[in-house]
Amino acid sequence: MTTVDSMKSYAANESFSRGRRFDEPRPAYRGEYQRDRDRIIHSTAFRRLVYKTQVFVNHEGDLYRTRLTHSLEVSQIGRSVAVALGLNEALTEAICLAHDLGHTPFGHAGQDTLNACMRDFGGFEHNLQSLRVVDELEAKYADFPGLNLMFETREGILKHCSARNARALGDVGERFLARTQPGLEAQIANLVDAVAYNNHDVDDGFRAGLLTLEQLREQALFEQQFEKVHALYPELEDRRLIYEIIRRMIGTVVTDLIEETKRQIEEAGVESIDEVRAADGPLVNMSAAVYDQHKSLKRFLNRHLYRHEQKLEMTRRAQAIVEELFVAYSGDVALMPGEFADRAASLGGADRARVIADYIAGMTDRYAIAAHEGLAG
Ligand code: MG
């Protein structure tokens, strides 16, 4: 674990943080970023992640990742990297745990459909929605809306943003207009998200029978580890073989990421988070060779798993559910529960559509399915 004393000078540090939107007394026995992490874990949006799709819809099987277990795996990898680099572990953990809080039901099918429904009202983007959840939508504290997180946590949650949205966001939007970088903890969270899903989706895709060993062996990251494991354990059954390969793939990519980042930090000569922000580009990177293999695996999963014929049926159903819910609520806001109905009724145009999008985005898969069935009744 990194303690505040052992952190590097370029780590995010609460003593020179840009602080919270609403001033609060400091916590007595926790750091400020630990408090952020705890608020995220106690949020209602976090609990809902357990019933939201990562790749496989929740009811497809008990062993598949959900958005909750995905977030935990991202956080676990992120923390290891942060500690190895002498960065702020609690902040990294907070960003990783919160990064998908704004995700719709049904994974990317849900997000794309909601975005299409919101076309005339400013669109819908799950990453921006994650920030909206922690800034506005969580209603838990008497003194402020949202979770009132530290600037650096919010900066890390907002990974990308259009110029138009950036202008509306104020402080956390500035870097997209000035084209500066976020802190290193945010850069870690951004990259290890993909490391986590690349690996767990190989596992889930293989378990589901949608990916074969032969196909996977065409991927360099996988094949290198396959050869090592196969040489050591030629008789190993497929299930354990895959696990052995995946743990080694994660180890290889994470080790490369740590070593390459150390090298780039040293080369850039940064000494403070402000210098990290002003650097020409992100400093948290894999080496070019490993990054190519990582991207290749990502493209492979996109082609062979996310768009697999067997997944398309569920995708089409998810799209219909989200779209029909949006159309129904737009036609009659009273179909939504009290507080959403009241707020939507008092607004018009884009503001009203946004309330509907917030309501739908907050749904779990099974809640959306039930709400959709309720429309017919
Ligand atoms: Mg993610």
Side-chain angles (χ1 to χ4, degrees):
M1 198 183 122
T2 33
T3 61
V4 171
D5 295 336
S6 65
M7 283 190 319
K8 302 287 191 188
S9 62
Y10 41 75
N13 190 319
E14 64 181 62
S15 61
F16 44 79
S17 163
R18 292 175 66 177
R20 300 183 188 278
R21 293 207 292 173
F22 302 90
D23 283 338
E24 291 186 67
R26 289 170 55 89
Y29 298 107
R30 290 175 292 177
E32 295 280 15
Y33 300 112
Q34 286 174 302
R35 173 151 73 178
D36 279 7
R37 174 203 58 204
D38 299 348
R39 285 185 177 178
I40 290 158
I41 289 175
H42 288 279
S43 69
T44 50
F46 188 73
R47 289 199 295 284
R48 287 187 185 133
L49 295 178
V50 70
Y51 294 116
K52 289 197 183 203
T53 294
Q54 180 63 27
V55 172
F56 295 87
V57 174
N58 186 241
H59 63 245
E60 287 181 290
D62 289 346
L63 289 176
Y64 297 119
R65 267 70 174 187
T66 67
R67 221 155 262 287
L68 180 67
T69 53
H70 162 69
S71 300
L72 295 173
E73 291 186 30
V74 173
S75 157
Q76 172 266 315
I77 297 172
R79 288 168 60 195
S80 300
V81 174
V83 171
L85 294 170
L87 298 171
N88 196 311
E89 180 183 10
L91 171 60
T92 308
E93 184 178 14
I95 298 169
C96 291
L97 291 176
H99 84 282
D100 271 348
L101 288 180
H103 230 295
T104 60
F106 311 120
H108 285 277
Q111 125 91 28
D112 294 346
T113 309
L114 197 52
N115 186 30
C117 294
M118 289 292 287
R119 198 184 303 114
D120 296 334
F121 309 109
F124 178 88
E125 208 276 293
H126 72 85
N127 181 233
L128 189 59
Q129 189 73 3
S130 294
L131 184 70
R132 196 166 153 73
V133 166
V134 301
D135 276 358
E136 310 284 341
L137 299 179
E138 280 288 320
K140 303 189 62 158
Y141 298 91
D143 292 330
F144 44 78
L147 304 180
N148 196 31
L149 303 179
M150 298 286 276
F151 174 83
E152 293 72 22
T153 312
R154 298 169 58 234
E155 171 190 53
I157 291 171
L158 190 66
K159 293 194 251 189
H160 34 75
C161 183
S162 69
R164 196 173 59 96
N165 285 329
R167 274 189 287 276
L169 283 170
D171 57 2
V172 272
E174 281 165 17
R175 77 177 166 96
F176 299 96
L177 301 171
R179 298 185 185 280
T180 55
Q181 310 304 319
L184 294 168
E185 291 80 359
Q187 295 183 28
I188 290 174
N190 186 22
L191 208 50
V192 300
D193 181 18
V195 174
Y197 66 65
N198 251 4
N199 283 285
H200 66 51
D201 291 348
V202 167
D203 180 23
D204 283 352
F206 183 78
R207 181 193 311 283
L210 302 186
L211 301 175
T212 65
L213 204 52
E214 290 65 39
Q215 275 179 318
L216 286 163
R217 288 192 58 192
E218 288 164 23
Q219 289 301 307
L221 263 185
F222 188 94
E223 176 62 10
Q224 287 158 12
Q225 303 310 324
F226 173 88
E227 280 171 8
K228 283 185 203 158
V229 177
H230 188 66
L232 285 167
Y233 311 99
E235 305 298 328
L236 206 58
E237 73 269 28
D238 282 358
R239 193 66 254 156
R240 288 167 82 184
L241 174 70
I242 291 281
Y243 280 138
E244 275 296 333
I245 293 169
I246 289 174
R247 64 182 276 255
R248 287 157 198 258
M249 286 204 296
I250 297 175
T252 303
V253 170
V254 169
T255 303
D256 178 83
L257 172 61
I258 292 167
E259 288 171 1
E260 178 64 16
T261 300
K262 269 187 188 165
R263 197 186 66 71
Q264 292 196 16
I265 289 173
E266 205 176 296
E267 196 176 274
V270 291
E271 286 184 6
S272 68
I273 189 168
D274 286 335
E275 289 176 17
V276 168
R277 287 182 173 132
D280 290 340
L283 297 171
V284 176
N285 289 299
M286 297 168 202
S287 65
V290 169
Y291 189 58
D292 277 349
Q293 295 175 352
H294 164 84
K295 272 195 308 190
S296 166
L297 180 58
K298 218 169 143 168
R299 279 195 302 270
F300 166 86
L301 290 168
N302 196 22
R303 227 173 19 246
H304 296 284
L305 180 61
Y306 311 147
R307 286 191 258 156
H308 192 287
E309 190 50 42
Q310 255 174 270
K311 294 228 57 57
L312 293 181
E313 170 56 30
M314 194 57 226
T315 300
R316 279 188 286 269
R317 182 149 174 250
Q319 286 166 338
I321 291 173
V322 170
E323 191 182 332
E324 285 164 32
L325 286 173
F326 188 88
V327 169
Y329 298 146
S330 299
D332 180 5
V333 294
L335 291 170
M336 294 188 290
E339 66 180 292
F340 286 96
D342 294 346
R343 206 143 38 90
S346 71
L347 299 165
D351 293 334
R352 179 180 158 127
R354 186 62 56 192
V355 175
I356 296 168
D358 286 341
Y359 178 51
I360 294 174
M363 292 179 177
T364 61
D365 297 354
R366 59 185 192 171
Y367 187 95
I369 292 168
H372 182 253
E373 281 166 2
L375 291 179

